[in-house]
Amino acid sequence: MLSAAFNIVGFSWITSPAATELEVIVLDWFAKMLKLPSQFLSDAPGGGVIQGTASEAVLVVLLAARDRTLKKHGKKSLEKLVVYASDQTHSALQKACQVAGIFPENFRVVKADCSKNYAVAPEAVSEAISVDLSSGLIPFFICATVGTTSSSAVDPLPELGNIAQGHDMWFHIDAAYAGSACMCPEYRHHLDGVEKADSFNMNAHKWFLTNFDCSLLWVKDRSYLVEALSTNPEFLKNKASQANSVVDFKDWQIPLGRRFRSLKLWMVLRLYGVENLQSYIRKHIQLAEHFEQLVLSDSRFEVVTPRLFSLVCFRLLPPTSEYEGGRQLNYDLMDAANSSGKIFISHTVLAGKFVLRFAVGAPLTEEQHVDAAWKLLQDEATKLSGSVYL
Ligand SMILES: *Cc1c(COP(=O)(O)O)cnc(C)c1O
């Protein structure tokens, strides 16, 4: 409410020194909380900025990377630039490529490894890069994910980082959802390898008690962002900017105007404190673990992928005779559960399997709600198996 009521339009430092300075401060706090390497801090060549969404974050770093590469290889090489990601990478990257003018045939989607919980195999990325290099293309961008959308898989950051560094490519890490968990020491290892990244993003508006929108982006070298995105029209000129002594966040994002989003994050950090935020995350993960145990205790169901955070991927096992490997059965179960109006779950498809996804992430969720959700799913499963499928 305060952020909206102040009605800041803080594009340049001069338009709201407080909004700009607070953003620098809270993003440094946050980077320290996540134990990001010191290059990502504002007193280094890097720094953090609040974007609206993870989609905008990946777009701006893709633009920075594109221009960095074009500067080296010449503007005419745009058609040769290749982006690498896995088939589990969020569709936001594909959209970013479309916007950035990356040729559609140069968006390389590497199949994730189903034996590794749908993380991408670095060898597969390496191989794709070698093939492209030998046909004269220019690999320039790798996107890794910590906590994929479908199954919360974690890509192997150190290996992908080495590949990127070996080929002078930009390495971006999308931790939109799972980044929040990494402030707990016991989950921080999922970020090992972040020191090799050029940029890192996580959404405070997802699992960090902060109202939408508040997507946190850090870069190791802010000059690439500024080179790709800055303009300097007469009507925005002012003493502070001219003296080059301040941050003008307009040069780190697509739009000019920007809200006082750092105030929301400052409130959350000050109100809860690190320890309370950590127990918030731990509680959700424990509730997801509890749900996972419930699923495991009923032989009609299976847990499809190992649970890493607060997402459980599971499904009702189809009777062997059933066509399409349980697709319709699980679709019907999801539909029945969601039609009840009591819970809402979503689905994905992994290696051809129609999978249900149970995510804990709401501030008021308690064990009794998880138990009630499971009971509802069991009851609906009984109804389904009793009728059409047996
Ligand atoms: C949610 C999510 C996104 C998209 O987030 P927006 O902020 O809505 O753009 C991208 N990547 C991952 C891994 C996500 O979980």
Side-chain angles (χ1 to χ4, degrees), residues 156-266:
L157 305 184
E159 291 83 356
L160 293 174
N162 283 340
I163 295 172
Q165 285 183 346
H167 296 285
D168 198 17
M169 299 166 74
W170 189 287
F171 182 39
H172 176 66
I173 298 175
D174 173 3
Y177 151 73
S180 297
C182 301
M183 75 176 143
C184 301
E186 67 272 32
Y187 300 110
R188 172 58 180 76
H189 66 274
H190 291 300
L191 294 188
D192 289 352
V194 65
E195 61 282 357
K196 298 178 198 285
D198 294 281
S199 49
F200 173 81
N201 170 234
M202 74 138 261
N203 280 350
H205 65 236
K206 241 173 199 163
W207 194 16
F208 202 80
L209 286 161
T210 310
N211 283 35
F212 186 83
D213 52 352
C214 196
S215 181
L216 317 182
L217 172 68
W218 289 269
V219 289
K220 205 179 251 173
D221 187 341
R222 57 184 175 266
S223 70
Y224 295 116
L225 265 187
V226 176
E227 271 171 45
L229 298 170
S230 74
T231 54
N232 190 22
E234 194 57 39
F235 53 84
L236 294 182
K237 286 185 179 157
N238 65 83
K239 241 196 233 168
S241 299
Q242 304 289 89
N244 237 340
S245 57
V246 295
V247 181
D248 289 330
F249 276 128
K250 71 178 178 59
D251 299 333
W252 300 45
Q253 62 174 20
I254 309 274
L256 178 67
R258 60 204 319 277
R259 290 181 286 282
F260 199 166
R261 291 185 283 227
S262 56
L263 188 58
K264 299 191 288 188
L265 194 56
W266 181 83

Side-chain angles (χ1 to χ4, degrees), residues 344-377:
F344 192 89
I345 56 174
S346 59
H347 79 279
T348 190
V349 173
L350 290 170
K353 277 187 195 170
F354 190 92
V355 176
L356 304 179
R357 301 162 70 255
F358 185 90
V360 183
L364 298 177
T365 303
E366 299 288 343
E367 189 167 311
Q368 50 164 320
H369 304 116
V370 175
D371 288 338
W374 174 238
K375 170 114 191 6
L376 189 141
L377 285 162

